[in-house]
Every structure is written in structure tokens, then in C-alpha cells.
Amino acid sequence: MATILKTDELSEVRKDADRLNAKTHTADELMEGITALLNEQMPKYNWVGFYMLEPGANPPMLALGPYRGAMTPHTRIPLNQGVCGAAASSGKTVVVDDVKKDPRYLACSLETKSEIVVPVFVNGAVAGELDIDSHFPAAFGAEDRALIEYIAQLVGKRMEKEQTASASSRAGK
Ligand code: SME
């Protein structure tokens, strides 16, 4: 029963994300809306935020974007640090069931027990990531991961469209 409810809940949130994608005007607005949606609708998603690669930064650096949840001391994260750095540098989703056991983990809140970080790809390259922390251990199962990867993809495609539109408007000038 619990599994059915969880599946329904996740599919509702997926539809809400699609609606947000249709009604927002920019990728930034979409990201802002996604953080609110996930933080408000998913009881175990206690901190939800985007980190985006700073354009032209050398060495590459992740900068905190829209987020919901407690203030974090980690507003900029180099790619060789943290679970966030690991996801961005490998281009792979990282799920940490118990943050205490992961030496890469950079603490944001003492209450955090588990974390998932999903890269956002734009034209095949990592442009940033969606980071979610939970006050519950092992909060991110296969269904959560599928939902969060779907949403990260929505954002990546949206950014792609925006970049294509601004490139063609520059070319037209
Ligand atoms: N825990 C992350 C840092 C970001 S905070 O969770 C918001 C990490 O280990 O990279």
C-alpha cells in the first residue's frame, strides 16, 4: 500500500513539474519553482537547491542558485570537494544513504542524514546540478531518483532552449 501511495505521489509531482515548465517564462523561474515544489510537496526533501557552474571560472566552481531550506555555508563549491563536486565532475547521480559514512560530504545542516545530487546537462555537458538533502536516512530510493533525474532533465532542456534562442537572436542582429 505504502508503495502505491508513494508512486502516486511521485507521479503527481512529476505532472506538477511539467505544468511549471509550461507556465514559467525562464529557466531561472523554472528552477525557483522546482525548489519550492519539491520542498513543499515531498516531506522528506528538506533542503532542495541548484548549484550551477560559474561561467568562465578557473578552476571550475559550483555556485549556489535557487534553493529552499536552511541557509547553507556552502555557497561556492570547487569540483574536487563535496558530494556536489563529485556529481558535477563525474556527470553521474550520487546518492548517499548515510552522510556520516561518506568522507566527501560537506555538512550543510546537522539534521541532514541522506543526500542525492543529480547533474543538469546542457548540450551534453554538465552545467550544474540539483541537490536534495533529507533529515531521514536513505530517503532517496529508485523512484525518487527517477523523479529527480527527470526534473533535472527538464531544467537542462529548458536551459538549452534558452541558449539556442539567445544565440539565434544575436545572430539575427
Ligand atoms: N552536502 C553538499 C554541500 C551542499 S549542502 O548540502 C546544501 C556536499 O557534500 O557537497
Side-chain angles (χ1 to χ4, degrees), residues 47 51 72 74 77 82-84 104-106 108 115 131 133:
W47 190 96
Y51 282 94
T72 171
H74 304 293
I77 304 176
V83 180
C84 286
R104 298 170 299 184
Y105 175 68
L106 298 170
C108 163
E115 176 165 22
D131 176 17
D133 291 354

Side-chain angles (χ1 to χ4, degrees), residues 47-49 51 62 64 67 70-75 77-78 81-86 96 99 102-109 112 114-115 117 129 131-133:
W47 190 96
V48 182
Y51 282 94
L62 291 160
L64 182 61
Y67 74 96
M71 265 181 70
T72 171
H74 304 293
T75 53
I77 304 176
Q81 284 181 28
V83 180
C84 286
V96 181
V99 295
D102 194 317
R104 298 170 299 184
Y105 175 68
L106 298 170
C108 163
S109 145
T112 298
S114 59
E115 176 165 22
V117 186
E129 59 197 23
D131 176 17
I132 306 182
D133 291 354

Side-chain angles (χ1 to χ4, degrees), residues 53 60 62 77-96 102 104 116-121 124-130 145 149:
L53 280 174
L62 291 160
I77 304 176
L79 292 204
N80 61 355
Q81 284 181 28
V83 180
C84 286
S89 56
S90 65
K92 295 210 163 78
T93 296
V94 181
V95 179
V96 181
D102 194 317
R104 298 170 299 184
I116 183 169
V117 186
V118 176
V120 170
F121 291 91
V126 174
E129 59 197 23
L130 175 52
R145 178 183 177 143
E149 288 180 341

Side-chain angles (χ1 to χ4, degrees), residues 24-65:
T24 48
H25 301 288
T26 63
D28 279 348
E29 239 183 77
L30 173 63
M31 290 194 281
E32 186 70 45
I34 293 290
T35 59
L37 170 71
L38 293 179
N39 186 234
E40 285 159 20
Q41 299 301 314
M42 301 300 291
K44 293 189 176 179
Y45 295 10
N46 305 109
W47 190 96
V48 182
F50 286 91
Y51 282 94
M52 303 311 288
L53 280 174
E54 281 182 355
N58 188 18
M61 190 67 74
L62 291 160
L64 182 61

